[in-house]
Amino acid sequence: MKGRFITLEGGEGTGKSTQIKLLAEWLNRCGVETVLTKEPGGTPIGRELRQMLCTGDKDKFDAVAEALLYYADRRIHMQQKVLPALADGQWVISDRFADSTMAYQYYGYNKRVPKQMLEQLYAMTVGEFYPDLTIILDLDPRIGLERSLQRNGAAEVKETRHESRGNEFHQNLRRGFLEIAQTSPRYVVVNADQSIEQLHHDIVKIVEERLLKP
């Protein structure tokens, strides 16, 4: 079976990590070998970059520097993990990919990073490769931020750099993901304001229809 690349996107606290694990377990039961990963942090170097990008003062570097660091992580991630797994016929499921960079650095920061720059960075580091399917989990940012801050409260490492941004940023972020979803049929928007079980059911149905049916 040809390897497939599935990405889950969305704002803070939308449940991506939980749903990725559940999806991988379901695919494994279907006989599909899966690799779980995330951006940033899918490789050893990526974990170092994640520490820089997701913790500490929200203003320690600007949106352009952020975009460059995210694409450095993405280039390493693609070369070391994603492409080799797909070449082996494995399915790769990633918690975030390039759509997050566009949503955060362009829409979230209210267009402080030019869209053309982000598109050029994609072309330079990723090329003509795109996910087979991108599922965007949509949720009111107020609910998502509350969930995310609760989760981080129990974590040893507090990844709250983006959560500390204001309401306008997160509303822009949500709008950005919804606008991105209109640009290609590979996107599917799913309501994330429902139970874990129902959300998993919805995602499984999408994957079945898009990637498993003959």
Side-chain angles (χ1 to χ4, degrees):
M1 181 178 291
K2 177 188 174 186
R4 300 286 193 175
F5 186 36
I6 303 171
T7 57
L8 267 69
E9 299 280 9
E12 305 299 332
T14 53
K16 297 182 304 301
S17 299
T18 298
Q19 293 302 323
I20 282 172
K21 291 176 184 176
L22 292 174
L23 177 58
E25 291 170 2
W26 178 80
L27 284 169
N28 289 337
R29 291 196 297 271
C30 294
V32 177
E33 187 176 356
T34 59
V35 172
L36 298 186
T37 191
K38 62 183 176 182
E39 287 195 356
T43 64
I45 295 174
R47 287 191 284 275
E48 296 179 30
L49 289 168
R50 185 180 184 89
Q51 177 77 12
M52 295 171 58
L53 285 160
C54 298
T55 65
D57 182 1
K58 64 181 175 64
D59 296 320
K60 61 184 177 181
F61 36 69
D62 69 5
V64 173
E66 274 188 13
L68 294 170
L69 287 169
Y70 277 118
Y71 267 102
D73 169 74
R74 186 158 299 126
R75 175 70 177 183
I76 296 165
H77 187 220
M78 290 294 299
Q79 296 296 315
Q80 295 185 3
K81 193 165 188 177
V82 176
L83 294 178
L86 294 174
D88 285 341
Q90 298 171 306
W91 287 34
V92 178
I93 311 173
S94 183
D95 183 343
R96 299 196 183 281
F97 190 57
D99 295 307
S100 275
T101 308
M102 182 65 75
Y104 278 76
Q105 272 60 61
Y106 178 69
Y107 290 96
Y109 282 108
N110 202 17
K111 305 179 181 179
R112 262 185 269 169
V113 182
K115 183 181 286 189
Q116 184 180 12
M117 172 188 165
L118 295 173
E119 291 170 345
Q120 289 172 339
L121 283 171
Y122 190 100
M124 289 171 59
T125 58
V126 184
E128 296 298 319
F129 173 86
Y130 296 93
D132 296 286
L133 172 65
T134 297
I135 298 171
I136 296 175
L137 303 186
D138 180 52
L139 182 68
D140 184 329
R142 292 170 297 181
I143 299 172
L145 285 171
E146 184 177 349
R147 289 181 183 177
S148 185
L149 290 169
Q150 286 177 351
R151 180 192 67 222
N152 270 289
E156 185 176 344
V157 178
K158 311 298 183 187
E159 294 186 346
T160 56
R161 184 165 176 265
H162 292 303
E163 284 85 343
S164 63
R165 303 189 189 284
N167 179 64
E168 181 182 2
F169 178 92
H170 291 282
Q171 294 293 342
N172 288 342
L173 181 63
R174 183 188 192 186
R175 176 175 55 82
F177 276 119
L178 294 176
E179 288 190 16
I180 290 168
Q182 302 302 312
T183 63
S184 169
R186 75 173 165 91
Y187 297 102
V188 182
V189 177
V190 180
N191 174 24
D193 189 13
Q194 52 184 328
S195 70
I196 291 173
E197 295 77 15
Q198 185 58 50
L199 183 53
H200 171 60
H201 176 270
D202 291 352
I203 291 171
V204 162
K205 185 176 179 182
I206 292 164
V207 172
E208 265 189 317
E209 292 178 350
R210 293 292 190 98
L211 301 180
L212 286 176
K213 285 187 176 179

